[in-house]
Amino acid sequence: MTAALRLAVQSAWVDFQEVAVNGFLLFGAVWQPFFIGVTTMYMLRHRADFDPMYVIVGTALSGIFSTLLFAGSGAISHERWIGTLELLVASPASFFLVIGGRLAGTTVFSLLSLLLAYGIAALLFGYPIAIAEPGWFAISLLFAVAALWATGMFFAPLAILWRAVGHFLLGLEYPIFALSGLLFPILLLPGWTAPISNILPPYWAAVAMHGAARGDLDLPGLLRAWFFLFLTGGALLLIAKWLFERVLTRARRAGTLALS
Amino acid sequence: MLRRSVGAIELRDVRRLFRATTGTLRRHTKEIVALDGLSLDVGEGELFGILGPNGAGKTTTIKVLTTLLIPTSGTATVMGLDVVRDAKEVRRKIGFVFGGERGLYYRLSGRDNLRYFAELYAVPPREIRSRVEELLDLVDLRPRGDERVEGYSRGMKQRLHLARTLLHRPRVLFLDEPTIGLDPIGARELRRIVRQLHEGGATIVLTTHYLFEADELCDRIAVIDKGRAVALGTPADLKSNVSDLSVVELEVFGIDAGTVERLRALDFVDSIVVEQRELRQVLRVQTRIAERAVAPLIAAVAAGQVGRVAVREATLEDAYVRLVGRVE
């Protein structure tokens, strides 16, 4: 294992141990999806066209996205609050890699919401859990969490460089749920919102995971969704890399790494 | 022990400005000079102290040298490497401890904190376990290494910080007020470790507010004030600046500012410092004629306000007070 990979894995493990007892992120990964899943299934279960798989995938993705939104936008400021930011920056390790590893730990933790969503459907509402294309679903999940992790990486420096943007991002949680079709199909939205949906990784994550779980998307359709997950996630990661450099240079110029 | 050979650290005319914003509706930005053309040299293997009042620029100096701040102008090198241009290389060669309890992952054990920081400093994987145990031994934390850091005392956290900074065997150590807030035994233990590291050949830069600590540990000391070095030398050199002075300490009760000014105006008083100790105050009067000064000093204070009176030799602290003209 190379030093960089070791560092990323260790960072993920440190983060995993921290988020596992972090009440705020537990809310994002467990309680919020629990309420969304139970409420939506309760409201929609009597409709003739109701598909529990749609709610399961939407609930899981909402939990993963919320956790990464909160963890990502607070990733650097959290290190500043606990006084480790200066230690990380003044170490020879890549700060981008360290935060990347930390958010990877959060991402793994956020998968709890997927288990929870299935648990709600199976145990509380008695729906059979059947994934139409398990292999494709696994690949879709992998692409989805990678793209959502990249989204978290994009939020991390953004929230530090422009504090107001950081606050604004937190307010985008539900609009992004809606624009990505996590809670209801985007066909219900006005047509002009479609281009916005198309640049959001959660939208392509939902397309791929819904399609693989229900089996109503053919392979070209899935490949298209995976390609756009790769494209949108990759673009956000590249921008994030550039923003991280800006954060470090600006912090060294302005002296803003420590709280005091 | 004074081991100055080649320069481990060089600062040349380093200036560092900060911008501060004031006001709510009408905002104004003003520039604060933290370092004002500071130049210093530290030799390899030297234990070098930086003293100065709050806001003098001690921590800014350390942050420039540890690559956390970019100087506004001037140059700074560590082991011949420029702290701006060669920041990544500098980071491999240095270790640093900032005073206080923060800077650790509280939900992890002390041992896990060290393992993680060992990864950050790319300590070879096969060495990590033994190095962590060795350092836990050095700072006397091995029996409690598996406990979460949140349960550690302040002294334990500070010792863990010291272990953390030694993981990659740095050639230069920066210790910024490492004993701040520690109880006397904890502070003594930390000083013992610092001395041990120095004897092992490490170059150490220490900032402290405790002058006896600097006197006890440092080969040389720089006193900085308002971002400039106002004195530089061995503790003995600095003390020799006050060899002509003695200090009269008067314990007084309820003395007012007017009385202090009256005392300060006496022609045999070189300087005077008032230290508040609960309900009493201690006046430390520096004078060239200690024995003959006691009676006029007591006479200048209202009857019944004077308690214990003592005369002693000037210390490094007195030299410091003479240099920076105030106490914190």
Side-chain angles (χ1 to χ4, degrees), chain B residues 33-87:
Chain B
V33 181
L35 295 180
D36 191 10
L38 184 67
S39 294
L40 287 175
D41 289 278
V42 179
E44 203 167 341
E46 191 173 13
L47 204 165
F48 189 87
I50 300 179
L51 302 181
N54 286 331
K58 303 184 297 291
T59 299
T60 304
T61 306
I62 298 286
K63 289 193 174 177
V64 165
L65 290 169
T66 51
T67 77
L68 288 166
L69 280 178
I70 294 174
T72 308
S73 64
T75 58
T77 62
V78 176
M79 305 306 290
L81 298 163
D82 188 284
V83 296
V84 179
R85 211 178 43 238
D86 312 313

Side-chain angles (χ1 to χ4, degrees), chain B residues 178-285:
Chain B
T179 55
I180 195 164
L182 294 187
D183 63 46
I185 294 170
R188 195 167 61 183
E189 178 59 16
L190 208 85
R191 284 197 294 275
R192 178 191 66 76
I193 300 169
V194 171
R195 210 176 292 118
Q196 198 177 326
L197 294 169
H198 178 44
E199 284 164 7
T203 304
I204 301 174
V205 177
L206 170 82
T207 76
T208 180
H209 278 287
Y210 306 125
L211 299 179
F212 70 93
E213 187 169 273
D215 195 6
E216 184 185 321
L217 292 173
C218 297
D219 297 326
R220 284 194 308 149
I221 292 169
V223 178
I224 63 174
D225 192 23
K226 299 186 178 81
R228 290 177 156 274
V230 294
L232 176 69
T234 64
D237 289 339
L238 297 185
K239 277 186 272 189
S240 71
N241 289 335
V242 284
S243 58
D244 57 329
L245 294 181
S246 295
V247 179
V248 180
E249 285 190 348
L250 293 114
E251 189 180 69
V252 294
F253 303 92
I255 199 166
D256 58 23
T259 307
V260 174
E261 286 313 308
R262 229 175 27 251
L263 291 172
R264 205 186 298 275
L266 294 171
D267 57 2
F268 56 84
V269 171
D270 189 83
S271 74
I272 188 163
V273 168
V274 184
E275 190 183 319
Q276 192 72 38
R277 289 187 192 162
E278 295 172 352
L279 295 175
R280 350 171 241 139
Q281 295 142 308
V282 174
L283 302 184
R284 286 209 297 269
V285 182

Side-chain angles (χ1 to χ4, degrees), chain A residues 3 6-7 10-11 14 17-18 21-22 79-84 86-94 98 102 249 251-255 257-260, chain B residues 16-18 63 66-70 83-84 87-88 91-92 96 98 102-108 112 115-117 119-122 125 128 148 161 164:
Chain A
R6 277 184 65 89
L7 176 62
Q10 282 294 325
S11 297
V14 165
Q17 292 176 80
E18 291 220 307
V21 285
N22 181 324
E79 301 290 341
R80 183 189 276 165
W81 273 106
I82 63 173
T84 47
E86 289 186 314
L87 307 184
L88 297 178
V89 171
S91 77
S94 152
V98 170
R102 301 294 301 259
T249 308
R252 288 179 72 206
R253 284 195 200 288
L257 288 168
L259 281 177
S260 54
Chain B
R16 173 68 215 197
L17 306 176
F18 286 101
K63 289 193 174 177
T66 51
T67 77
L68 288 166
L69 280 178
I70 294 174
V83 296
V84 179
K88 202 158 185 174
R91 289 168 188 167
R92 287 184 217 282
F96 63 92
F98 294 136
R102 296 165 71 245
L104 294 162
Y105 294 103
Y106 278 20
R107 285 167 181 155
L108 304 188
D112 282 346
R115 282 184 190 146
Y116 183 52
F117 281 103
E119 295 287 354
L120 286 171
Y121 278 88
I128 289 178
R148 278 189 184 183
H161 268 304
R164 188 256 309 148

Side-chain angles (χ1 to χ4, degrees), chain A residues 15-16 19 25-26 28-30 33 56-57 59-68 103-119 137-149 205 209:
Chain A
D15 191 75
F16 192 82
V19 294
L25 292 182
L26 272 173
V30 176
I56 289 170
V57 169
T59 301
L61 281 174
S62 70
I64 297 169
F65 179 75
S66 290
T67 309
L68 283 165
L103 281 181
T106 307
T107 309
V108 172
F109 176 77
S110 73
L111 292 175
L112 264 180
S113 57
L114 183 63
L115 295 177
L116 189 81
Y118 276 111
F137 183 80
I139 296 170
S140 299
L141 180 63
L142 200 67
F143 272 102
V145 294
L148 294 180
W149 165 81
M209 286 175 64

